[in-house]
Structures are given as C-alpha cells and as structure tokens.
Amino acid sequence: MKTIKYLSDFYDFQYGKGNNNPDNGGQYPVYGSNGIIGWYDKYNSEDAPVIGHIGANCGSVVWASGKHYVTYNGVICKIKSRVNSKFAYYTLLNSHLETRTRGAAQPFISYDLLNRVAVYAPVIETQNKIASILSTYDTLIENNNRRIRLLEQMAENLYKEWFVRFRFPGHEKVEMENGLPKGWKVEKLGEYANISTGKCNREDAEEDGIYPLFDRSQEIKKSNNWIKDCEAIIVPGEGTSFIPRYYKGKFNLHQRCYCIEPTIENTGFYLFYSIMLNRKYFLSVATGATVPSLRQKNFTNMKLVIADMKVIRKYNKIVNIISLQIDKLAQQNTLLTRQRDLLLPRLMSGKLEVKP
C-alpha cells in the first residue's frame, strides 16, 4: 500500500537571505537560483537541497553539501525528523517543480505551492534503501565533478605560475622590461579575437535540441539550430558575475550573450584564463543600476597581457590535454545522470518495489 504525503511533511521551507550575490572570498559556497555563484564568510544552511526561488531557474533543485549560504534567489530546505534527507531530496527532483511555477514576466515558486506538492512516502527503512540506490549514482557523479574541479584548478594554477608570477619555462634567461618579460606586451582583446553576440530569445530553447544554447543567465539550454562552429569563450552580457565559459563545437547563443572567438590558432585556453582571472574589469565597466550590462566595446577594449607566442602555445598544448580529460569525465557524468534519471521516477513512485 502506497503512502502519500506532502513536501511539507519532509521540509520547512524559507527563502534565502541578503544580497543576491554576496561574494567576499569566504569559505562557504553561495547558492542562488541555480548552483554556486560565489563564496561568503557566513552560512545559513547545511547539507540540504536548494530550490530556485525566482527568475529563469526557479524550481530547479541542487544538493548543497556541507555548510553553505543561500541568497534570496533560493529556497532553504530544513529537513524534518524521521525522514531520510537524501530521499527527501529525490522527492524534490521527482516533483518537477520547474513546471509548477507562477508569474509570467518574473516566474517564482511559493511556500504555499511547495507545501501542497503530494509525494510518495514509504516507511523510513524503504526511504533509506531508495536513497542508497540513487546516491550511488550521485556519489560517482560528485567524484567526477571533484576531479573536474581539480583539473580546472591545475590549468588555472599553471596560468598563474607562468603568466602572473612569470615562472614560465626558460624565464631565467629572459630580461624584464617595464614590469613584464621582454617581448611581452599589453594589448586590447579585440586585437586577438572576433567578438559577436547571439540572436536567440529565451523562447527559442527546445527540449529536444541537440546543440547547446548559451543563455545570458549562465544557463545552458538546447536548440536545434546553431550559429557558430568554433572555439569560443562565452560571457553572459547581463548580471553580476560575468563568468566566462570555454566551448568548442557547434552552438547557439542568446541575445546579450557574447562570443569571443580567438583569431590566432592555439591561444584559446590562454585567452580564457586571461579573461577569467580579470573579470572584475567587467564589473567596473558594466552599466545599468538594476541589471548591470556589458557592451561589445567593453570586450574589444579589454586590456590583457599578451605573452610570447611560443610560451602561449606551450601552455595551450598542456591545457588541451587537461581539457580532454575533463571532457571524458563530463561524458561519464552524462551517462550516469541518464541512468539515475531513468530509475528516479520508478523508485520515487513505488512502481519499482524496493524491500527494506
């Protein structure tokens, strides 16, 4: 016999707090409407799901491990007693909250709506078993994500070592001139890349799309059309973080999202990390009080240190190998996620019987 309860039997919900983008380099990850957006020195939740509260990502659900800070753009989920916390998390995933939102211009999800969502609620022993099965997939996915983060950190640290601290191969034999190794120079990004914007609207996203559609809200959607087939650094043109993303292949692009296409072969990763580590520049030139925005000239005029091309290409070759490893791990995660998502609705509805 199935037992049906409500999400309110599993959680006490409350909106996050404070600034929508607190980031002071603290030790706790900051969650907004769709994942980590910064780091803060305070926390207001621990080992719990975070639900997107408002905006394009409202209704999205992510598991936040350890102590973390949730902004007003997210919903804090306080687990109740005698409930397996991971099972309760999977009930959220299986509830498809993104289809239950309100508001046309500015979608949002409310306490009232969350509390009234009916869910399958077996005895705690069965909850533990179901959570264990699904968590096996998530543990493998998180292990791969951890390896991806370490590889990304390796590439960033190598950039800092060679191009910030100037300890690149052969640096002992290179003289310094005006604070830079001889032959290096400060140039505008527009001299080394073509910069363009997308044409799509949010409505152009397609669930069955085969190409990534990069959104100005930093969300990746899908499209059946593509406008670029290249190596690119993609930067959202609105918001407060302006975090760049590296991509190579066919893709579509949202309006107010910028594509930075390197014009010199084997310089893409170098330009990516140059932009990533200097993105505070974007905040200094963005205009607009409500929604800070960038213009094409802001990218064209962005000044970067351009190192000796031999050193840049050597760096690019090393990071390309790292990138291939990251791609393999990401592919594994895609398969693991697909397998978990096939099991999820059957286990969370009681259709697939699980004995405690």
Side-chain angles (χ1 to χ4, degrees):
M1 179 178 177
K2 293 183 181 180
T3 302
I4 303 298
K5 291 189 176 182
Y6 297 90
L7 285 181
S8 56
D9 295 307
F10 287 178
Y11 292 111
D12 286 320
F13 298 109
Q14 64 184 69
Y15 298 135
K17 299 177 181 179
N19 190 318
N20 283 339
N21 190 33
D23 188 353
N24 59 13
Q27 68 269 43
Y28 304 117
V30 176
Y31 285 82
S33 62
N34 190 34
I36 296 174
I37 59 172
W39 296 84
Y40 201 41
D41 56 8
K42 297 178 183 178
Y43 68 92
N44 57 11
S45 184
E46 184 173 358
D47 282 326
V50 176
I51 302 171
H53 164 215
I54 193 167
N57 297 314
C58 71
S60 64
V61 180
V62 297
W63 177 266
S65 297
K67 296 175 180 178
H68 54 274
Y69 188 92
V70 182
T71 73
Y72 181 70
N73 282 350
V75 177
I76 299 172
C77 305
K78 300 290 186 183
I79 194 72
K80 293 186 175 180
S81 60
R82 292 295 294 167
V83 176
N84 182 293
S85 60
K86 277 299 183 75
F87 177 87
Y89 161 65
Y90 293 122
T91 64
L92 292 174
L93 284 184
N94 195 53
S95 296
H96 301 289
L97 299 177
E98 71 280 358
T99 66
R100 302 169 182 261
T101 59
R102 298 173 178 170
Q106 182 74 306
F108 70 95
I109 198 160
S110 65
Y111 292 154
D112 178 59
L113 184 148
L114 290 171
N115 288 332
R116 290 187 291 105
V117 174
V119 294
Y120 170 55
V123 296
I124 189 67
E125 292 79 11
T126 302
Q127 290 182 29
N128 294 342
K129 184 66 176 179
I130 291 173
S132 176
I133 293 170
L134 294 172
S135 291
T136 300
Y137 290 93
D138 282 339
T139 298
L140 291 171
I141 291 169
E142 180 52 36
N143 286 341
N144 283 345
N145 284 336
R146 193 174 293 113
R147 292 171 65 189
I148 288 172
R149 288 193 291 270
L150 287 172
L151 289 166
E152 289 173 341
Q153 194 62 55
M154 282 174 57
E156 183 175 319
N157 288 343
L158 185 64
Y159 178 93
K160 291 177 180 177
E161 183 73 4
W162 286 19
F163 306 113
V164 178
R165 304 183 188 99
F166 304 136
R167 292 199 283 264
F168 52 90
H171 70 278
E172 306 92 342
K173 301 176 183 179
V174 178
E175 297 177 12
M176 298 293 288
E177 257 184 13
N178 299 320
L180 292 174
K182 191 173 182 178
W184 294 28
K185 50 195 174 183
V186 176
E187 298 274 15
K188 291 181 179 180
L189 177 59
E191 299 294 322
Y192 292 85
N194 291 324
I195 299 157
S196 58
T197 58
K199 299 178 181 179
C200 287
N201 294 310
R202 194 178 300 278
E203 295 76 17
D204 294 327
E206 300 162 290
E207 288 187 10
D208 61 346
I210 58 176
Y211 303 111
L213 169 58
F214 293 99
D215 191 282
R216 59 185 173 180
S217 63
Q218 309 227 20
E219 182 180 5
I220 301 179
K221 298 184 177 180
K222 293 291 184 180
S223 173
N224 281 315
N225 300 309
W226 57 273
I227 61 169
K228 289 282 186 178
D229 183 6
C230 64
E231 178 183 36
I233 300 148
I234 297 161
V235 183
E238 294 180 345
T240 55
S241 57
F242 303 118
I243 297 174
R245 186 192 304 273
Y246 177 90
Y247 188 80
K248 190 173 184 179
K250 293 179 179 178
F251 62 91
N252 212 333
L253 202 62
H254 195 279
Q255 290 177 354
R256 310 294 303 144
C257 204
Y258 290 87
C259 170
I260 302 168
E261 185 179 348
T263 54
I264 300 177
E265 193 175 1
N266 298 322
T267 61
F269 290 115
Y270 177 79
L271 290 181
F272 170 74
Y273 282 103
S274 295
I275 294 167
M276 171 67 82
L277 296 174
N278 288 282
R279 69 180 186 274
K280 286 184 179 179
Y281 160 81
F282 295 140
L283 291 173
S284 71
V285 297
T287 58
T290 306
V291 182
S293 302
L294 296 172
R295 300 290 182 265
Q296 190 159 331
K297 66 178 182 179
N298 299 139
F299 293 91
T300 303
N301 295 331
M302 184 180 189
K303 291 183 178 180
L304 302 174
V305 172
I306 303 298
D308 179 86
M309 277 297 160
K310 289 182 180 179
V311 180
I312 289 177
R313 289 192 171 110
K314 185 175 290 187
Y315 172 79
N316 225 68
K317 186 175 182 180
I318 294 171
V319 178
N320 187 59
I321 294 170
I322 294 174
S323 179
L324 291 174
Q325 296 177 56
I326 290 173
D327 288 345
K328 287 181 181 179
L329 292 170
Q331 289 169 10
Q332 289 177 22
N333 276 358
T334 298
L335 292 174
L336 288 167
T337 301
R338 188 176 300 151
Q339 291 167 2
R340 183 204 64 188
D341 290 349
L342 287 172
L343 272 177
L344 181 68
R346 300 184 67 197
L347 288 171
M348 300 309 296
S349 65
K351 289 181 180 178
L352 184 60
E353 185 179 357
V354 174
K355 295 182 180 180

